[in-house]
Amino acid sequence: MRISAHGLDVDVPSGWEGRIREQHLPFAPAGSHGTQFRAHAVLHAADFVLPEERGDFGSGAVETMQPGHAFIALVEYGTSSVGTALFASGAGMPRHLRPDDFNPRQLQRTIPGQAGTQRFFVEEGRAFCLYVVLGSMAARGHVVPRVNAVLPAIRIGPPVPPEWLEAM
Amino acid sequence: MTALDGIQAAATVLLGLLVVGLLKSHADILRQLHELGAGRGEEPRGPVPVDLAMGSSSGAKGHDMSGHTPDGEAAAVAVLGATHDTLLAFLSSGCLTCNGFWEALGTGGDLGLPAGMRVVAVTKGTGDESGSAVGGLAPAGRTVLMSTQAWLDYEVPGSPYFVHVNGPTGRVVGEGTAATWAQVVGLVSRATADRRRSRADGIDQELTAAGILPGDPSLYPTSPPLTGDHE
């Protein structure tokens, strides 16, 4: 199953679910008055049922994970992040992760037994955070290969033309 | 004059019978249309006649689904290979009979279905349905997918329509329509119980074919039970 939206595309393997949505972040273009909002993309993929209510980094979903499950979040940041130190790896999105890349301390929210990893990068001129959660640190040797089967199926397109929203 | 009066009276009676027949036929047509949901949004006065085929296993292969949620997320929903069964509720925003199902799906919990079963409401895609109309009906927290392709893949004849897919086998184990959510629950529960009984019968037959009958010593453990002191 392939889904595409907001300049992201993923070929979701059987047994996995996928979602792509946009979030609206405040942005202040030069010379503007007041706050404007610009759309940024968020992609979620998981090998379990994705709840409808989810935070960008998986809150609401990771709590339902079983030990053998995996959750992937790809969260876009504003263009002003491009070129900053956090996103300066220059390597683009990692399409292969190692079991040793995962650590309970990299979780956005610590849940006993789980492990995560975060990578910040720029690809196609867009700044992203790739955040992956494993249901079990102990099972990472079995779960990470399945994550690595999904990561190459994620494609990042060029920046989507800005869609300025009305000032709030 | 008497003969003419008689002819006129007979013609009047015939015309009267013709008019009464036409009115009755017209009333029958209107009543049937009304029961099928035609009209200006009035609720049907009685139960809608439905075809209850749920529980009859078609054995057809299921399909994973992709489309959009009512609030615009691109979405892929896994049906095949899941550890749980999935009940697909094909609904629409304009069908009066569907109203009761939208309300039932909003009651939360397991909806009376067998434990672990996932329910996904599926409407046609944004080219055929209004996202805002579906969004207004979509129960909070329930997965609602807008996908015309899913309707085509499952060969849905109209709404409401329900398809029960067994996750591990990826096969359709029951499908059909119903008038109330209680009917759906009853039919799905019976089909699930029948499937479990059939599986147990199959195991019994395999054991019997292998010469293992009830009471056979090989059915019972011979090693001493673990006491919990052993790791």
Side-chain angles (χ1 to χ4, degrees), chain A residues 1-6 12-22 44 49-54, chain B residues 64-69 72-82 84 118 140-144:
Chain A
M1 295 176 292
R2 173 171 290 184
I3 55 174
S4 304
H6 316 304
V12 183
S14 185
W16 283 69
E17 307 221 324
R19 300 289 180 94
I20 304 174
R21 70 184 184 207
E22 61 180 11
H44 289 162
V49 173
L50 278 172
E52 294 307 305
E53 306 293 333
R54 304 178 313 280
Chain B
D64 288 325
M65 306 183 296
S66 62
H68 288 83
T69 64
E73 279 190 352
V77 175
V79 176
L80 310 183
H84 54 264
R118 181 189 192 186
R142 187 73 60 193
T143 300
V144 178

mmCIF file of all heavy atoms in Angstrom, chain A residues 1-6 12-22 44 49-54, chain B residues 64-69 72-82 84 118 140-144:
data_model
loop_
_atom_site.group_PDB
_atom_site.id
_atom_site.type_symbol
_atom_site.label_atom_id
_atom_site.label_comp_id
_atom_site.label_asym_id
_atom_site.label_seq_id
_atom_site.Cartn_x
_atom_site.Cartn_y
_atom_site.Cartn_z
ATOM 1 N N MET A 1 0.853 -1.193 0.000
ATOM 2 C CA MET A 1 0.000 0.000 0.000
ATOM 3 C C MET A 1 0.884 1.237 0.000
ATOM 4 O O MET A 1 1.735 1.369 0.869
ATOM 5 C CB MET A 1 -0.868 0.039 1.260
ATOM 6 C CG MET A 1 -1.875 -1.071 1.367
ATOM 7 S SD MET A 1 -2.726 -0.945 2.962
ATOM 8 C CE MET A 1 -1.409 -1.355 4.090
ATOM 9 N N ARG A 2 0.679 2.087 -0.946
ATOM 10 C CA ARG A 2 1.471 3.318 -0.993
ATOM 11 C C ARG A 2 0.586 4.495 -0.623
ATOM 12 O O ARG A 2 -0.542 4.618 -1.122
ATOM 13 C CB ARG A 2 2.049 3.505 -2.393
ATOM 14 C CG ARG A 2 2.735 4.854 -2.571
ATOM 15 C CD ARG A 2 3.471 4.926 -3.875
ATOM 16 N NE ARG A 2 4.650 4.055 -3.839
ATOM 17 C CZ ARG A 2 5.532 3.968 -4.820
ATOM 18 N NH1 ARG A 2 5.372 4.656 -5.917
ATOM 19 N NH2 ARG A 2 6.569 3.168 -4.713
ATOM 20 N N ILE A 3 1.097 5.323 0.250
ATOM 21 C CA ILE A 3 0.386 6.564 0.568
ATOM 22 C C ILE A 3 1.335 7.734 0.362
ATOM 23 O O ILE A 3 2.544 7.621 0.614
ATOM 24 C CB ILE A 3 -0.195 6.569 2.002
ATOM 25 C CG1 ILE A 3 0.872 6.282 3.054
ATOM 26 C CG2 ILE A 3 -1.334 5.577 2.132
ATOM 27 C CD1 ILE A 3 0.370 6.429 4.487
ATOM 28 N N SER A 4 0.791 8.831 -0.115
ATOM 29 C CA SER A 4 1.592 10.024 -0.393
ATOM 30 C C SER A 4 0.828 11.247 0.067
ATOM 31 O O SER A 4 -0.389 11.343 -0.136
ATOM 32 C CB SER A 4 1.861 10.157 -1.896
ATOM 33 O OG SER A 4 2.479 9.003 -2.403
ATOM 34 N N ALA A 5 1.544 12.175 0.668
ATOM 35 C CA ALA A 5 0.931 13.460 1.035
ATOM 36 C C ALA A 5 2.022 14.402 1.516
ATOM 37 O O ALA A 5 3.036 13.949 2.073
ATOM 38 C CB ALA A 5 -0.119 13.271 2.141
ATOM 39 N N HIS A 6 1.818 15.660 1.278
ATOM 40 C CA HIS A 6 2.690 16.710 1.815
ATOM 41 C C HIS A 6 4.166 16.468 1.496
ATOM 42 O O HIS A 6 5.044 16.723 2.320
ATOM 43 C CB HIS A 6 2.478 16.845 3.332
ATOM 44 C CG HIS A 6 1.033 16.815 3.729
ATOM 45 N ND1 HIS A 6 0.098 17.699 3.216
ATOM 46 C CD2 HIS A 6 0.336 15.981 4.543
ATOM 47 C CE1 HIS A 6 -1.086 17.425 3.713
ATOM 48 N NE2 HIS A 6 -0.974 16.380 4.507
ATOM 49 N N VAL A 12 3.889 1.101 2.244
ATOM 50 C CA VAL A 12 3.690 0.449 3.538
ATOM 51 C C VAL A 12 3.637 -1.065 3.342
ATOM 52 O O VAL A 12 2.798 -1.563 2.600
ATOM 53 C CB VAL A 12 2.379 0.939 4.192
ATOM 54 C CG1 VAL A 12 2.210 0.331 5.576
ATOM 55 C CG2 VAL A 12 2.355 2.460 4.273
ATOM 56 N N PRO A 13 4.534 -1.814 3.982
ATOM 57 C CA PRO A 13 4.511 -3.269 3.812
ATOM 58 C C PRO A 13 3.277 -3.895 4.467
ATOM 59 O O PRO A 13 2.667 -3.296 5.362
ATOM 60 C CB PRO A 13 5.783 -3.740 4.526
ATOM 61 C CG PRO A 13 6.490 -2.542 5.008
ATOM 62 C CD PRO A 13 5.577 -1.376 4.905
ATOM 63 N N SER A 14 2.939 -5.088 4.039
ATOM 64 C CA SER A 14 1.813 -5.791 4.641
ATOM 65 C C SER A 14 2.078 -5.998 6.129
ATOM 66 O O SER A 14 3.191 -6.314 6.545
ATOM 67 C CB SER A 14 1.620 -7.143 3.948
ATOM 68 O OG SER A 14 0.455 -7.771 4.446
ATOM 69 N N GLY A 15 1.044 -5.806 6.907
ATOM 70 C CA GLY A 15 1.176 -5.932 8.350
ATOM 71 C C GLY A 15 1.527 -4.625 9.037
ATOM 72 O O GLY A 15 1.537 -4.556 10.263
ATOM 73 N N TRP A 16 1.839 -3.605 8.248
ATOM 74 C CA TRP A 16 2.155 -2.290 8.806
ATOM 75 C C TRP A 16 1.029 -1.316 8.481
ATOM 76 O O TRP A 16 0.313 -1.482 7.496
ATOM 77 C CB TRP A 16 3.457 -1.751 8.218
ATOM 78 C CG TRP A 16 4.695 -2.380 8.792
ATOM 79 C CD1 TRP A 16 5.100 -3.675 8.607
ATOM 80 C CD2 TRP A 16 5.666 -1.763 9.644
ATOM 81 N NE1 TRP A 16 6.270 -3.891 9.294
ATOM 82 C CE2 TRP A 16 6.647 -2.739 9.935
ATOM 83 C CE3 TRP A 16 5.811 -0.492 10.188
ATOM 84 C CZ2 TRP A 16 7.747 -2.474 10.749
ATOM 85 C CZ3 TRP A 16 6.919 -0.224 10.990
ATOM 86 C CH2 TRP A 16 7.865 -1.204 11.273
ATOM 87 N N GLU A 17 0.899 -0.296 9.331
ATOM 88 C CA GLU A 17 -0.030 0.800 9.067
ATOM 89 C C GLU A 17 0.781 2.063 8.813
ATOM 90 O O GLU A 17 1.912 2.186 9.305
ATOM 91 C CB GLU A 17 -0.943 1.027 10.263
ATOM 92 C CG GLU A 17 -1.648 -0.231 10.718
ATOM 93 C CD GLU A 17 -3.095 0.028 11.096
ATOM 94 O OE1 GLU A 17 -3.366 1.103 11.643
ATOM 95 O OE2 GLU A 17 -3.929 -0.854 10.830
ATOM 96 N N GLY A 18 0.217 2.984 8.091
ATOM 97 C CA GLY A 18 0.919 4.239 7.825
ATOM 98 C C GLY A 18 -0.034 5.411 7.823
ATOM 99 O O GLY A 18 -1.215 5.267 7.492
ATOM 100 N N ARG A 19 0.465 6.545 8.232
ATOM 101 C CA ARG A 19 -0.310 7.785 8.199
ATOM 102 C C ARG A 19 0.621 8.933 7.811
ATOM 103 O O ARG A 19 1.770 8.972 8.257
ATOM 104 C CB ARG A 19 -0.933 8.110 9.565
ATOM 105 C CG ARG A 19 -1.898 7.060 10.102
ATOM 106 C CD ARG A 19 -3.194 7.053 9.316
ATOM 107 N NE ARG A 19 -4.094 6.036 9.845
ATOM 108 C CZ ARG A 19 -5.027 6.278 10.750
ATOM 109 N NH1 ARG A 19 -5.179 7.495 11.230
ATOM 110 N NH2 ARG A 19 -5.822 5.313 11.170
ATOM 111 N N ILE A 20 0.109 9.853 7.027
ATOM 112 C CA ILE A 20 0.835 11.101 6.750
ATOM 113 C C ILE A 20 -0.138 12.243 6.969
ATOM 114 O O ILE A 20 -1.221 12.267 6.375
ATOM 115 C CB ILE A 20 1.387 11.150 5.311
ATOM 116 C CG1 ILE A 20 2.274 9.940 5.017
ATOM 117 C CG2 ILE A 20 2.170 12.443 5.097
ATOM 118 C CD1 ILE A 20 2.743 9.857 3.558
ATOM 119 N N ARG A 21 0.247 13.171 7.812
ATOM 120 C CA ARG A 21 -0.616 14.317 8.072
ATOM 121 C C ARG A 21 0.243 15.565 8.087
ATOM 122 O O ARG A 21 1.466 15.506 7.959
ATOM 123 C CB ARG A 21 -1.336 14.150 9.402
ATOM 124 C CG ARG A 21 -0.431 14.256 10.626
ATOM 125 C CD ARG A 21 -1.194 13.979 11.899
ATOM 126 N NE ARG A 21 -0.362 14.165 13.075
ATOM 127 C CZ ARG A 21 -0.564 13.535 14.229
ATOM 128 N NH1 ARG A 21 -1.550 12.671 14.344
ATOM 129 N NH2 ARG A 21 0.215 13.757 15.268
ATOM 130 N N GLU A 22 -0.385 16.687 8.239
ATOM 131 C CA GLU A 22 0.387 17.906 8.369
ATOM 132 C C GLU A 22 0.067 18.571 9.691
ATOM 133 O O GLU A 22 -1.038 18.476 10.221
ATOM 134 C CB GLU A 22 0.118 18.860 7.199
ATOM 135 C CG GLU A 22 -1.310 19.306 7.073
ATOM 136 C CD GLU A 22 -1.525 20.245 5.911
ATOM 137 O OE1 GLU A 22 -0.609 20.388 5.091
ATOM 138 O OE2 GLU A 22 -2.605 20.829 5.832
ATOM 139 N N HIS A 44 3.802 8.631 10.196
ATOM 140 C CA HIS A 44 3.849 7.564 11.196
ATOM 141 C C HIS A 44 3.730 6.215 10.494
ATOM 142 O O HIS A 44 2.923 6.067 9.564
ATOM 143 C CB HIS A 44 2.701 7.688 12.206
ATOM 144 C CG HIS A 44 2.852 8.837 13.154
ATOM 145 N ND1 HIS A 44 1.804 9.348 13.893
ATOM 146 C CD2 HIS A 44 3.946 9.575 13.504
ATOM 147 C CE1 HIS A 44 2.236 10.348 14.640
ATOM 148 N NE2 HIS A 44 3.523 10.511 14.416
ATOM 149 N N VAL A 49 -1.807 -1.632 15.495
ATOM 150 C CA VAL A 49 -2.917 -0.720 15.193
ATOM 151 C C VAL A 49 -2.582 0.686 15.691
ATOM 152 O O VAL A 49 -2.333 0.887 16.882
ATOM 153 C CB VAL A 49 -4.225 -1.214 15.856
ATOM 154 C CG1 VAL A 49 -5.328 -0.186 15.684
ATOM 155 C CG2 VAL A 49 -4.639 -2.553 15.264
ATOM 156 N N LEU A 50 -2.572 1.638 14.777
ATOM 157 C CA LEU A 50 -2.278 3.022 15.160
ATOM 158 C C LEU A 50 -3.540 3.667 15.736
ATOM 159 O O LEU A 50 -4.556 3.765 15.041
ATOM 160 C CB LEU A 50 -1.810 3.823 13.950
ATOM 161 C CG LEU A 50 -0.340 3.687 13.569
ATOM 162 C CD1 LEU A 50 -0.060 4.385 12.245
ATOM 163 C CD2 LEU A 50 0.564 4.237 14.659
ATOM 164 N N PRO A 51 -3.501 4.119 16.975
ATOM 165 C CA PRO A 51 -4.670 4.821 17.522
ATOM 166 C C PRO A 51 -4.899 6.134 16.771
ATOM 167 O O PRO A 51 -3.971 6.706 16.201
ATOM 168 C CB PRO A 51 -4.273 5.087 18.981
ATOM 169 C CG PRO A 51 -3.056 4.277 19.239
ATOM 170 C CD PRO A 51 -2.393 4.041 17.929
ATOM 171 N N GLU A 52 -6.115 6.593 16.785
ATOM 172 C CA GLU A 52 -6.430 7.835 16.064
ATOM 173 C C GLU A 52 -5.841 9.055 16.754
ATOM 174 O O GLU A 52 -5.484 10.026 16.097
ATOM 175 C CB GLU A 52 -7.941 7.982 15.921
ATOM 176 C CG GLU A 52 -8.580 6.920 15.038
ATOM 177 C CD GLU A 52 -7.906 6.824 13.684
ATOM 178 O OE1 GLU A 52 -7.812 7.848 12.987
ATOM 179 O OE2 GLU A 52 -7.433 5.724 13.334
ATOM 180 N N GLU A 53 -5.771 9.002 18.062
ATOM 181 C CA GLU A 53 -5.224 10.142 18.803
ATOM 182 C C GLU A 53 -3.745 9.879 19.067
ATOM 183 O O GLU A 53 -3.387 9.052 19.891
ATOM 184 C CB GLU A 53 -5.975 10.305 20.134
ATOM 185 C CG GLU A 53 -7.502 10.407 19.997
ATOM 186 C CD GLU A 53 -7.914 11.677 19.296
ATOM 187 O OE1 GLU A 53 -7.157 12.662 19.367
ATOM 188 O OE2 GLU A 53 -8.982 11.694 18.665
ATOM 189 N N ARG A 54 -2.900 10.595 18.338
ATOM 190 C CA ARG A 54 -1.454 10.389 18.486
ATOM 191 C C ARG A 54 -0.738 11.725 18.459
ATOM 192 O O ARG A 54 -1.075 12.615 17.678
ATOM 193 C CB ARG A 54 -0.891 9.538 17.333
ATOM 194 C CG ARG A 54 -1.531 8.203 17.124
ATOM 195 C CD ARG A 54 -0.921 7.485 15.913
ATOM 196 N NE ARG A 54 -0.800 8.322 14.733
ATOM 197 C CZ ARG A 54 -1.786 8.591 13.907
ATOM 198 N NH1 ARG A 54 -2.972 8.068 14.097
ATOM 199 N NH2 ARG A 54 -1.606 9.371 12.860
ATOM 200 N N ASP B 64 -5.645 -5.248 2.246
ATOM 201 C CA ASP B 64 -5.263 -4.073 3.018
ATOM 202 C C ASP B 64 -5.900 -2.859 2.341
ATOM 203 O O ASP B 64 -6.294 -2.922 1.178
ATOM 204 C CB ASP B 64 -3.737 -3.937 3.055
ATOM 205 C CG ASP B 64 -3.088 -4.996 3.936
ATOM 206 O OD1 ASP B 64 -3.699 -5.362 4.956
ATOM 207 O OD2 ASP B 64 -1.977 -5.461 3.600
ATOM 208 N N MET B 65 -5.988 -1.766 3.072
ATOM 209 C CA MET B 65 -6.732 -0.619 2.539
ATOM 210 C C MET B 65 -5.903 0.658 2.677
ATOM 211 O O MET B 65 -5.149 0.827 3.636
ATOM 212 C CB MET B 65 -8.039 -0.425 3.304
ATOM 213 C CG MET B 65 -8.922 -1.668 3.347
ATOM 214 S SD MET B 65 -10.474 -1.341 4.197
ATOM 215 C CE MET B 65 -9.885 -0.978 5.837
ATOM 216 N N SER B 66 -6.100 1.549 1.732
ATOM 217 C CA SER B 66 -5.478 2.868 1.863
ATOM 218 C C SER B 66 -6.467 3.923 1.389
ATOM 219 O O SER B 66 -7.354 3.648 0.585
ATOM 220 C CB SER B 66 -4.175 2.944 1.061
ATOM 221 O OG SER B 66 -4.423 2.760 -0.306
ATOM 222 N N GLY B 67 -6.313 5.101 1.909
ATOM 223 C CA GLY B 67 -7.217 6.203 1.569
ATOM 224 C C GLY B 67 -6.902 7.395 2.438
ATOM 225 O O GLY B 67 -5.722 7.676 2.703
ATOM 226 N N HIS B 68 -7.938 8.051 2.918
ATOM 227 C CA HIS B 68 -7.762 9.216 3.788
ATOM 228 C C HIS B 68 -8.714 9.112 4.971
ATOM 229 O O HIS B 68 -9.785 8.522 4.870
ATOM 230 C CB HIS B 68 -8.034 10.514 3.032
ATOM 231 C CG HIS B 68 -6.966 10.852 2.038
ATOM 232 N ND1 HIS B 68 -6.949 10.305 0.769
ATOM 233 C CD2 HIS B 68 -5.866 11.644 2.132
ATOM 234 C CE1 HIS B 68 -5.881 10.762 0.123
ATOM 235 N NE2 HIS B 68 -5.217 11.582 0.925
ATOM 236 N N THR B 69 -8.295 9.713 6.078
ATOM 237 C CA THR B 69 -9.215 9.842 7.209
ATOM 238 C C THR B 69 -10.070 11.089 6.948
ATOM 239 O O THR B 69 -9.706 11.930 6.115
ATOM 240 C CB THR B 69 -8.442 9.999 8.524
ATOM 241 O OG1 THR B 69 -7.696 11.217 8.480
ATOM 242 C CG2 THR B 69 -7.500 8.829 8.745
ATOM 243 N N GLY B 72 -8.286 14.338 6.824
ATOM 244 C CA GLY B 72 -7.311 14.597 5.771
ATOM 245 C C GLY B 72 -5.992 13.863 5.860
ATOM 246 O O GLY B 72 -5.116 14.079 5.026
ATOM 247 N N GLU B 73 -5.825 12.982 6.835
ATOM 248 C CA GLU B 73 -4.596 12.191 6.881
ATOM 249 C C GLU B 73 -4.606 11.165 5.756
ATOM 250 O O GLU B 73 -5.629 10.509 5.528
ATOM 251 C CB GLU B 73 -4.491 11.416 8.197
ATOM 252 C CG GLU B 73 -3.982 12.188 9.370
ATOM 253 C CD GLU B 73 -3.678 11.271 10.554
ATOM 254 O OE1 GLU B 73 -4.009 10.074 10.508
ATOM 255 O OE2 GLU B 73 -3.119 11.763 11.527
ATOM 256 N N ALA B 74 -3.461 11.008 5.074
ATOM 257 C CA ALA B 74 -3.311 9.856 4.192
ATOM 258 C C ALA B 74 -3.103 8.646 5.084
ATOM 259 O O ALA B 74 -2.343 8.719 6.054
ATOM 260 C CB ALA B 74 -2.115 10.051 3.275
ATOM 261 N N ALA B 75 -3.799 7.553 4.795
ATOM 262 C CA ALA B 75 -3.780 6.436 5.744
ATOM 263 C C ALA B 75 -3.720 5.093 5.029
ATOM 264 O O ALA B 75 -4.367 4.886 4.003
ATOM 265 C CB ALA B 75 -5.025 6.484 6.638
ATOM 266 N N ALA B 76 -2.899 4.197 5.585
ATOM 267 C CA ALA B 76 -2.876 2.790 5.166
ATOM 268 C C ALA B 76 -3.268 1.961 6.378
ATOM 269 O O ALA B 76 -2.677 2.115 7.449
ATOM 270 C CB ALA B 76 -1.481 2.407 4.680
ATOM 271 N N VAL B 77 -4.266 1.112 6.214
ATOM 272 C CA VAL B 77 -4.784 0.312 7.329
ATOM 273 C C VAL B 77 -4.495 -1.159 7.049
ATOM 274 O O VAL B 77 -4.871 -1.686 5.990
ATOM 275 C CB VAL B 77 -6.302 0.535 7.504
ATOM 276 C CG1 VAL B 77 -6.866 -0.390 8.572
ATOM 277 C CG2 VAL B 77 -6.572 1.989 7.867
ATOM 278 N N ALA B 78 -3.836 -1.810 8.001
ATOM 279 C CA ALA B 78 -3.475 -3.222 7.839
ATOM 280 C C ALA B 78 -4.660 -4.114 8.194
ATOM 281 O O ALA B 78 -5.271 -3.950 9.246
ATOM 282 C CB ALA B 78 -2.285 -3.552 8.722
ATOM 283 N N VAL B 79 -4.989 -5.013 7.301
ATOM 284 C CA VAL B 79 -6.044 -6.004 7.552
ATOM 285 C C VAL B 79 -5.435 -7.408 7.489
ATOM 286 O O VAL B 79 -5.703 -8.243 8.350
ATOM 287 C CB VAL B 79 -7.180 -5.868 6.512
ATOM 288 C CG1 VAL B 79 -8.225 -6.958 6.710
ATOM 289 C CG2 VAL B 79 -7.816 -4.481 6.598
ATOM 290 N N LEU B 80 -4.608 -7.640 6.481
ATOM 291 C CA LEU B 80 -4.008 -8.963 6.286
ATOM 292 C C LEU B 80 -2.827 -9.148 7.238
ATOM 293 O O LEU B 80 -2.067 -8.218 7.497
ATOM 294 C CB LEU B 80 -3.508 -9.110 4.847
ATOM 295 C CG LEU B 80 -4.490 -8.742 3.735
ATOM 296 C CD1 LEU B 80 -3.869 -9.017 2.377
ATOM 297 C CD2 LEU B 80 -5.787 -9.511 3.903
ATOM 298 N N GLY B 81 -2.691 -10.351 7.726
ATOM 299 C CA GLY B 81 -1.540 -10.670 8.563
ATOM 300 C C GLY B 81 -1.632 -10.139 9.976
ATOM 301 O O GLY B 81 -0.702 -10.323 10.754
ATOM 302 N N ALA B 82 -2.737 -9.466 10.297
ATOM 303 C CA ALA B 82 -2.893 -8.956 11.664
ATOM 304 C C ALA B 82 -3.156 -10.128 12.606
ATOM 305 O O ALA B 82 -3.673 -11.171 12.193
ATOM 306 C CB ALA B 82 -4.044 -7.962 11.716
ATOM 307 N N HIS B 84 -5.239 -9.957 14.921
ATOM 308 C CA HIS B 84 -6.642 -9.853 15.316
ATOM 309 C C HIS B 84 -7.534 -9.939 14.070
ATOM 310 O O HIS B 84 -7.067 -9.777 12.944
ATOM 311 C CB HIS B 84 -6.887 -8.501 16.004
ATOM 312 C CG HIS B 84 -6.429 -7.346 15.165
ATOM 313 N ND1 HIS B 84 -5.191 -6.769 15.331
ATOM 314 C CD2 HIS B 84 -7.018 -6.692 14.142
ATOM 315 C CE1 HIS B 84 -5.047 -5.794 14.451
ATOM 316 N NE2 HIS B 84 -6.139 -5.733 13.713
ATOM 317 N N ARG B 118 -11.074 -5.680 15.791
ATOM 318 C CA ARG B 118 -10.976 -4.254 15.454
ATOM 319 C C ARG B 118 -12.100 -3.894 14.492
ATOM 320 O O ARG B 118 -12.409 -4.656 13.569
ATOM 321 C CB ARG B 118 -9.633 -3.977 14.779
ATOM 322 C CG ARG B 118 -9.413 -2.521 14.418
ATOM 323 C CD ARG B 118 -8.174 -2.359 13.562
ATOM 324 N NE ARG B 118 -7.790 -0.969 13.446
ATOM 325 C CZ ARG B 118 -6.804 -0.540 12.666
ATOM 326 N NH1 ARG B 118 -6.116 -1.394 11.932
ATOM 327 N NH2 ARG B 118 -6.508 0.744 12.608
ATOM 328 N N ALA B 140 -15.264 9.683 17.740
ATOM 329 C CA ALA B 140 -13.916 9.984 18.211
ATOM 330 C C ALA B 140 -13.198 8.698 18.591
ATOM 331 O O ALA B 140 -13.771 7.816 19.228
ATOM 332 C CB ALA B 140 -13.983 10.911 19.418
ATOM 333 N N GLY B 141 -11.952 8.588 18.163
ATOM 334 C CA GLY B 141 -11.135 7.439 18.534
ATOM 335 C C GLY B 141 -11.349 6.203 17.690
ATOM 336 O O GLY B 141 -10.625 5.226 17.835
ATOM 337 N N ARG B 142 -12.326 6.217 16.805
ATOM 338 C CA ARG B 142 -12.602 5.054 15.951
ATOM 339 C C ARG B 142 -11.948 5.285 14.583
ATOM 340 O O ARG B 142 -12.028 6.385 14.034
ATOM 341 C CB ARG B 142 -14.113 4.889 15.778
ATOM 342 C CG ARG B 142 -14.555 3.653 15.063
ATOM 343 C CD ARG B 142 -14.411 2.402 15.875
ATOM 344 N NE ARG B 142 -15.188 2.430 17.106
ATOM 345 C CZ ARG B 142 -15.021 1.550 18.097
ATOM 346 N NH1 ARG B 142 -14.137 0.585 18.004
ATOM 347 N NH2 ARG B 142 -15.742 1.643 19.206
ATOM 348 N N THR B 143 -11.311 4.273 14.023
ATOM 349 C CA THR B 143 -10.689 4.431 12.717
ATOM 350 C C THR B 143 -11.761 4.515 11.640
ATOM 351 O O THR B 143 -12.594 3.616 11.506
ATOM 352 C CB THR B 143 -9.737 3.251 12.414
ATOM 353 O OG1 THR B 143 -8.727 3.208 13.417
ATOM 354 C CG2 THR B 143 -9.083 3.419 11.062
ATOM 355 N N VAL B 144 -11.751 5.601 10.893
ATOM 356 C CA VAL B 144 -12.670 5.797 9.770
ATOM 357 C C VAL B 144 -11.813 6.084 8.543
ATOM 358 O O VAL B 144 -11.006 7.017 8.543
ATOM 359 C CB VAL B 144 -13.641 6.972 10.017
ATOM 360 C CG1 VAL B 144 -14.539 7.176 8.806
ATOM 361 C CG2 VAL B 144 -14.481 6.711 11.265
#
